[in-house]
């Protein structure tokens, strides 16, 4: 019997906090997970690209999943899902990461396509990889398509549609920003069969227009409640209001890419929410929270963060 996809909603690829020695900053990680859960997210992706999965050891990856699940459970958020990023450069290691994810409390695995030998990743090789991983996985898998971190590999809608027939492959996160791809998939697959998520905030509502199951986006780290409000207003047919906020999300997504990606998100959290330190693991670069106001794009983000407090948990 086919596995069940994750429910529609707003998910967040959570950043992971470190101390000055690049060890886990556990209090900050727990504070972040709790703020996101209180913000109404449907689930938390541990070790997406914003979670610096590639910079962690196997033991650290498993520990981060377990810490997230434990934090949610201890604070009454047992229904908030945990998705684990499990992609690795070999099929064998990806299978091990999926087993670890299950043991640590994840409900789904998000699998990035290997890209060290990008030219060898033909359509047949990509399909074989994801099928073999799904065959062995103790939890349902999802396909993570992000050309920006896979040497330009961009899985087209035909590849993803072919993989959707596998009973243990239940969805995809599309960080390629291709609305046409979302619509080609959702016009052939229902969310209860295969969940298609937008991976960018600047195409969040556009993805909903195209039939997506919601979003798994980096900007949710900063303003979860506004994403949740958009999603709910969309379901309630408040299309104008949703599109008005969507325009601001588009500018904010662009702004965070200019300020510094993962490092920029952490710096903004430190500055505005009062927990954690802005440390990242090399070769990423940290952003100084005290220098944020020097960026010409900062005010766009600061305005949205200020507005976050206007959104109640029950909105």
């Amino acid at each position: 019997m086919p596995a069940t996809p994750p429910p529609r909603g707003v998910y967040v690829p959570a950043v992971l906090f470190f101390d000055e020695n690049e060890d886990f900053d556990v209090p900050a990680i727990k504070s972040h997970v709790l703020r996101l859960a209180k913000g109404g997210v449907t689930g938390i992706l541990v070790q997406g690209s914003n979670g610096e999965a590639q910079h962690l050891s196997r033991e650290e990856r498993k520990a981060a999943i377990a810490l997230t699940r434990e934090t949610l459970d201890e604070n009454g958020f047992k229904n908030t899902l945990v998705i684990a990023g499990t992609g690795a450069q070999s099929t064998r290691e990806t299978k091990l990461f999926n087993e670890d994810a299950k043991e640590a409390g994840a409900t789904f695995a998000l699998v990035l396509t290997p890209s060290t030998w990008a030219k060898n990743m033909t359509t047949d090789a990509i399909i074989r990889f994801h099928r073999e991983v799904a065959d062995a996985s103790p939890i349902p898998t999802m396909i993570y398509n992000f050309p920006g971190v896979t040497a330009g590999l961009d899985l087209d809608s035909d590849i993803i549609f072919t993989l959707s027939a596998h009973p243990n492959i239940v969805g995809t996160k599309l960080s390629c920003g291709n609305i046409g791809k979302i619509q080609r998939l959702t016009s052939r697959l229902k969310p209860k069969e295969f969940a298609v998520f937008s991976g960018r905030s600047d195409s969040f509502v556009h993805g909903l227009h195209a039939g997506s199951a919601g979003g798994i986006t980096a900007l949710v780290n900063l303003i979860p409640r506004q994403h949740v409000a958009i999603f709910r207003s969309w379901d309630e047919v408040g299309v104008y209001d949703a599109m008005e906020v969507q325009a601001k999300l588009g500018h904010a997504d662009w702004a965070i890419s200019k300020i510094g990606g993962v490092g920029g998100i952490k710096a903004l959290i430190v500055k505005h929410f009062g927990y954690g330190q802005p440390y990242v693991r090399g070769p990423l670069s940290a952003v100084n929270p005290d220098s944020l106001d020097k960026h010409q794009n900062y005010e766009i983000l600061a305005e949205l963060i200020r507005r976050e407090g206007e959104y109640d948990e029950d909105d």
Side-chain angles (χ1 to χ4, degrees), residues 119-134:
K119 291 183 179 179
N120 290 336
M121 294 305 293
T122 62
T123 295
D124 287 345
I126 291 169
I127 290 173
R128 183 174 65 252
F129 166 76
H130 282 284
R131 282 177 172 168
E132 288 182 7
V133 167

Side-chain angles (χ1 to χ4, degrees), residues 189-239:
L189 299 162
K190 303 302 181 188
K192 64 181 180 181
E193 304 167 344
F194 188 85
V196 179
F197 291 97
S198 171
R200 298 174 57 95
S201 287
D202 60 6
S203 57
F204 181 39
V205 170
H206 310 302
L208 293 172
H209 266 298
S212 79
I216 308 175
T217 78
L219 198 61
V220 181
N221 279 285
L222 297 174
I223 48 173
R225 291 180 180 178
Q226 289 171 74
H227 284 80
V228 170
I230 289 176
F231 183 79
R232 290 177 180 172
S233 70
W234 173 263
D235 276 2
E236 294 165 3
V237 201
V239 179

Side-chain angles (χ1 to χ4, degrees), residues 88-91 94 111-118 121 129-130 150 153:
Q89 293 307 308
S90 74
T91 307
T94 305
V111 182
L112 197 64
T113 303
S115 58
T116 297
W117 303 102
M121 294 305 293
F129 166 76
H130 282 284
T150 53
L153 284 176

Side-chain angles (χ1 to χ4, degrees), residues 1-198:
M1 185 174 181
T4 302
R8 296 176 68 252
V10 174
Y11 295 77
V12 53
V15 292
L16 192 65
F17 287 93
F18 304 116
D19 62 22
E20 60 186 359
N21 297 316
E22 296 190 4
D23 294 322
F24 283 6
D25 183 344
V26 173
I29 294 169
K30 295 180 75 170
S31 293
H32 190 52
V33 168
L34 189 55
R35 184 173 66 82
L36 295 172
K38 288 180 176 178
V41 298
T42 310
I44 295 177
L45 168 59
V46 184
Q47 289 142 38
S49 299
N50 282 275
E52 301 184 59
Q54 291 82 359
H55 302 161
L56 305 180
S57 68
R58 180 183 176 186
E59 293 76 17
E60 287 176 322
R61 290 172 75 132
K62 189 172 183 179
I65 298 166
L67 178 60
T68 301
R69 183 69 270 165
E70 290 165 6
T71 301
L72 292 169
D73 291 348
E74 290 168 356
N75 289 279
F77 292 100
K78 294 182 182 295
N79 293 328
T80 303
L81 296 176
V82 172
I83 302 174
T86 61
Q89 293 307 308
S90 74
T91 307
R92 177 187 176 93
E93 190 171 30
T94 305
K95 291 177 181 179
L96 290 175
F97 287 163
N98 284 347
E99 292 171 5
D100 289 347
K102 166 68 173 178
E103 292 175 6
T107 307
F108 298 93
L110 183 67
V111 182
L112 197 64
T113 303
S115 58
T116 297
W117 303 102
K119 291 183 179 179
N120 290 336
M121 294 305 293
T122 62
T123 295
D124 287 345
I126 291 169
I127 290 173
R128 183 174 65 252
F129 166 76
H130 282 284
R131 282 177 172 168
E132 288 182 7
V133 167
D135 284 343
S137 179
I139 53 178
T141 68
M142 300 169 63
I143 303 158
Y144 186 10
N145 185 56
F146 191 1
V149 298
T150 53
L153 284 176
D154 190 1
L155 279 57
D156 63 29
S157 54
D158 289 339
I159 292 174
I160 297 172
F161 182 73
T162 297
L163 288 169
S164 73
H166 193 289
N168 206 34
I169 299 177
V170 297
T172 184
K173 175 181 188 275
L174 299 179
S175 293
C176 51
N178 189 324
I179 300 299
K181 188 183 297 183
I182 291 175
Q183 195 151 45
R184 286 192 294 276
L185 290 168
T186 59
S187 63
R188 303 172 76 180
L189 299 162
K190 303 302 181 188
K192 64 181 180 181
E193 304 167 344
F194 188 85
V196 179
F197 291 97
S198 171

